[in-house]
Amino acid sequence: MRILGISGSPRKEGNTEVLLGEALQGARDVGAEVEEVFLRDKTISPCLEIYGCKRDGRCVIEDDFHEVAEKMLQADALILASPIFFYTVSAHTKMLMDRCQSFWVKRYLLKRPIAPGRSRRKGAFISAGATRGKRLFDGVTLTARYFFDALDVDLFDTLLVRGVDEKGEIFDHPEEIRAAYELGRRLARAE
Ligand SMILES: Cc1cc2nc3c(=O)[nH]c(=O)nc-3n(C[C@H](O)[C@H](O)[C@H](O)COP(=O)(O)O)c2cc1C
């Protein structure tokens, strides 16, 4: 089982990154091979809506997207982590998502498989926000679901943490850190 963790926070070792790290540790502890990518270290253009991908499903903008895309395709499961920025995902995360329109085109317009021979791939989404509103995660939950769908990945689990803002504040919530660890274990064990 190969699991790819994708950190979408611009903040190094921020709250979502701590949770992602715990989830990957949980997966590693039950035998998964794990890798983590940090989107802030990548150069990924926004989608330019030129639809060069309609030819064969490959995005025609040449940048680090392709390196991340290849890792996403090779993984058996994905964990995406993003802070809440204005009730949606971070800009780093959204740039990756929008470039995955090329996978949507491949899957739904060209009707080609995304990861041939490997069905039922699973994804998990981790997020954190400063406020506590009931609807804080409404938008990102849908966004994450349809991002994974473009990759032919089912949204298996989410960990959504309210009321954390400052860097390191997540350590005041050991139950959420534990929940992240358990999420990683469950994901790695999922059939
Ligand atoms: C640009 C920006 C926008 C934000 N928007 C929201 C928001 O809409 N709702 C909210 O609850 N928190 C918001 N926050 C707070 C972050 O979600 C919060 O600090 C989170 O813990 C950051 O996670 P990180 O450390 O993994 O980056 C915002 C923070 C920034 C920098």
Side-chain angles (χ1 to χ4, degrees), residues 9 11 14-16 83-87 128-131 136 164-165:
S9 176
R11 183 153 73 176
N15 296 317
T16 52
I84 294 287
F85 282 2
F86 286 93
Y87 287 83
T131 56
L136 179 58
V164 290
D165 197 7

Side-chain angles (χ1 to χ4, degrees), residues 2-183:
R2 266 178 300 184
I3 299 190
L4 178 69
I6 303 170
S7 174
S9 176
R11 183 153 73 176
K12 197 173 175 205
E13 292 159 14
N15 296 317
T16 52
E17 211 157 281
V18 169
L19 293 169
L20 177 62
E22 284 296 319
L24 292 175
Q25 188 59 49
R28 201 183 279 117
D29 287 350
V30 292
E33 187 186 309
V34 308
E35 188 181 358
E36 197 170 1
V37 296
F38 302 93
L39 295 180
R40 64 174 171 273
D41 295 338
K42 305 293 176 195
T43 302
I44 298 181
S45 154
C47 171
L48 301 179
E49 217 178 348
I50 49 180
Y51 278 108
C53 55
K54 283 189 179 172
R55 205 172 32 171
D56 60 2
R58 187 180 190 279
C59 179
V60 295
I61 305 169
E62 294 302 337
D63 62 14
D64 293 345
F65 168 71
H66 296 283
E67 177 201 326
V68 178
E70 191 51 38
K71 289 181 193 298
M72 293 195 296
L73 293 178
Q74 294 305 320
D76 299 304
L78 302 172
I79 309 177
L80 176 67
S82 171
I84 294 287
F85 282 2
F86 286 93
Y87 287 83
T88 186
V89 291
S90 69
H92 292 77
T93 309
K94 191 63 165 55
M95 302 253 235
L96 174 72
M97 288 178 160
D98 287 358
R99 293 288 295 284
C100 288
Q101 178 73 351
S102 50
F103 289 116
W104 185 92
V105 163
K106 191 170 188 180
R107 185 163 186 214
Y108 289 107
L109 295 187
L110 305 177
K111 303 201 183 308
R112 294 195 200 155
I114 299 297
R118 281 182 307 125
S119 58
R120 312 210 59 76
R121 298 194 304 147
K122 291 188 169 47
F125 179 63
I126 292 174
S127 191
T131 56
R132 296 180 179 278
K134 191 167 158 265
R135 305 193 61 187
L136 179 58
F137 298 107
D138 282 8
V140 285
T141 304
L142 269 180
T143 304
R145 180 179 303 284
Y146 288 103
F147 161 68
F148 283 132
D149 181 75
L151 295 162
D152 198 9
V153 167
D154 293 329
L155 182 58
F156 169 78
D157 212 344
T158 57
L159 176 61
L160 308 170
V161 182
R162 291 177 171 78
V164 290
D165 197 7
E166 297 301 321
K167 182 173 173 175
E169 213 175 315
I170 194 65
F171 292 111
D172 297 337
H173 300 265
E175 71 291 354
E176 304 293 3
I177 291 183
R178 182 80 200 162
Y181 182 83
E182 292 300 334
L183 178 152

